[in-house]
Amino acid sequence: MNKKTLLVILILALLGGGYFAWHQYSRKVDSAADLPSTAQLSATELLEAFMVDEAAATTRFVGTTEQVIQVSGTIRSLEPVGKELTNVVLEADNELAAVVCEFANADLPAPWRTGTQVTLKGICTGFLLDVVLVRCVPVE
Amino acid sequence: MIIDRPVQPPLIMNTRKTLLVALAAAPLMLAAQDRFATRNGHIRFFSSTPMENIEADNNKVTSVLDATTGAIEFAALIKAFQFEKALMQEHFNENYMDSNTFPKATFKGKVTGFGSAELKKPGTYPVQVAGDLTIHGVTRPHTGTATITVDAAGGLKAVSEFEVKPEDHRIEIPAVVREKIAQQLKVSVDLTYTRM
């Protein structure tokens, strides 16, 4: 291999490495729409799992890396959060707690109202008073 | 010599139990008790260095404020902090905050300079806040200032800004990236309460 070929390989390797590093650095967070669901269940089942055994439910639904779960339920309320987000609060057979799903307004279907039966998926982040899902998208 | 000490339940368990009990008992409470709550509080943290700015938002902060006693608590899920860049979010959870081991941050304390009298008069009130801030499993005393605004409908909005030093909560930042992360992280809290 002559010096010229070696130089070309070296430059290509540097360019490739630089592109990979830049791509990794500037990579946006994944949309839930682009990820497969690791579980499918109702809002009631999801809340119940956390109420019964938070540690086990955290392991199953939150995991060590981001996990998308698919949840079905009836909308209890729609709560605007700032100018860009809306919380879709799903009934879960519990007056005090619910499943709260954060949508970017751009991802929130216009027909959704209180009482609408919906299916959505999002990234489960854990349990405070409610089970919290972020970056949610509707499932048609 | 082994000294037996009473086992303290984790703070977050106390916090959630307190919040749940507070919510459960809300309909039975007298109006004079003036309790307020939110599940949609906002916390932002911001790190600014010449090399890089880093910020993240959490819009799922749960908080209860008792205007009669001044007691205030809030809790936030670490994994609910959202970053613009995926790599930052991954490093935040996996390398710095150990969010699988310490999934929540909490504050439990007291507000002074605000009470039932101020609650009856719409306006903006500067207050003092003091309590225990738990991040990364490490509890540290925290004092600071905040502003509480009472609107004409009786709603409450509390805002505060303070700084957190990662080392105070045993958050280790590798030397190779230390220049990219501020020594003191700026934290802003914005809580819009509704009466319980």
Side-chain angles (χ1 to χ4, degrees):
Chain A
M1 191 180 296
N2 61 34
K3 285 184 180 177
K4 196 174 178 181
T5 307
L6 197 62
L7 188 64
V8 168
I9 290 172
L10 186 64
I11 289 171
L12 286 176
L14 285 172
L15 286 174
Y19 173 77
F20 177 77
W22 173 251
H23 180 266
Q24 279 294 100
Y25 173 75
S26 57
R27 178 170 51 93
K28 304 285 184 187
V29 290
D30 292 322
S31 165
D34 299 330
L35 299 169
S37 304
T38 57
Q40 298 182 9
L41 69 173
S42 71
T44 301
E45 291 167 336
L46 181 60
L47 177 63
E48 180 71 11
F50 276 95
M51 299 281 270
V52 169
D53 187 342
E54 184 179 352
T58 299
T59 300
R60 182 178 172 200
F61 299 116
V62 180
T64 54
T65 56
E66 287 191 334
Q67 288 193 40
V68 173
I69 60 173
Q70 182 170 313
V71 183
S72 300
T74 304
I75 296 177
R76 177 189 293 177
S77 61
L78 294 162
E79 301 172 353
V81 180
K83 294 177 182 174
E84 298 176 354
L85 302 171
T86 297
N87 280 341
V88 175
V89 182
L90 298 181
E91 291 284 2
D93 286 343
N94 188 310
E95 285 186 20
L96 304 176
V99 175
V100 178
C101 312
E102 183 182 276
F103 276 74
N105 287 343
D107 293 327
L108 185 64
W112 283 17
R113 297 281 184 275
T114 299
T116 306
Q117 177 72 30
V118 300
T119 300
L120 54 86
K121 60 181 188 176
I123 290 147
C124 188
T125 61
F127 182 50
L128 289 174
L129 292 176
D130 311 294
V131 181
V132 176
L133 273 65
V134 297
R135 308 209 308 270
C136 296
V137 293
V139 175
E140 301 301 331
Chain B
M1 184 173 69
I2 297 172
I3 301 171
D4 285 330
R5 295 181 180 176
V7 176
Q8 293 280 341
L11 177 61
I12 191 60
M13 291 300 290
N14 285 337
T15 303
R16 195 168 77 233
K17 280 180 182 169
T18 305
L19 292 172
L20 280 170
V21 169
L23 284 173
L28 305 175
M29 291 174 181
L30 298 174
Q33 287 183 302
D34 297 331
R35 286 185 180 231
F36 294 80
T38 181
R39 289 167 157 158
N40 300 323
H42 175 221
I43 292 180
R44 166 175 289 177
F45 81 77
F46 184 69
S47 161
S48 176
T49 68
M51 293 185 74
E52 192 168 48
N53 290 335
I54 301 168
E55 64 181 3
D57 294 279
N58 184 329
N59 291 291
K60 294 286 164 292
V61 179
T62 297
S63 178
V64 171
L65 169 65
D66 186 329
T68 305
T69 65
I72 184 170
E73 294 184 20
F74 66 73
L77 291 165
I78 300 302
K79 287 194 176 182
F81 279 96
Q82 297 295 298
F83 292 69
E84 186 185 355
K85 292 175 179 167
L87 198 63
M88 287 181 181
Q89 189 161 313
E90 288 162 11
H91 286 175
F92 174 76
N93 281 297
E94 296 165 15
N95 300 350
Y96 306 142
M97 297 298 285
D98 300 321
S99 58
N100 291 319
T101 307
F102 308 109
K104 297 166 187 175
T106 63
F107 177 79
K108 186 174 183 178
K110 198 155 188 173
V111 172
T112 53
F114 185 83
S116 298
E118 286 77 15
L119 194 58
K120 292 171 185 165
K121 290 183 284 186
T124 300
Y125 302 94
V127 299
Q128 299 290 319
V129 184
D132 291 326
L133 179 65
T134 301
I135 302 172
H136 196 234
V138 177
T139 301
R140 302 272 297 188
H142 169 79
T143 57
T145 58
T147 302
I148 296 180
T149 301
V150 181
D151 64 30
L156 283 189
K157 183 180 173 72
V159 296
S160 180
E161 289 187 1
F162 56 93
E163 293 188 336
V164 172
K165 197 173 178 182
E167 286 76 7
D168 285 347
H169 293 273
R170 293 194 206 121
I171 298 168
E172 294 176 7
I173 298 173
V176 69
V177 294
R178 194 66 194 87
E179 296 299 311
K180 292 183 176 182
I181 299 173
Q183 298 291 330
Q184 304 262 12
L185 303 178
K186 293 179 182 174
V187 180
S188 63
V189 182
D190 186 337
L191 304 164
T192 300
Y193 293 97
T194 53
R195 192 183 287 271
M196 290 167 60

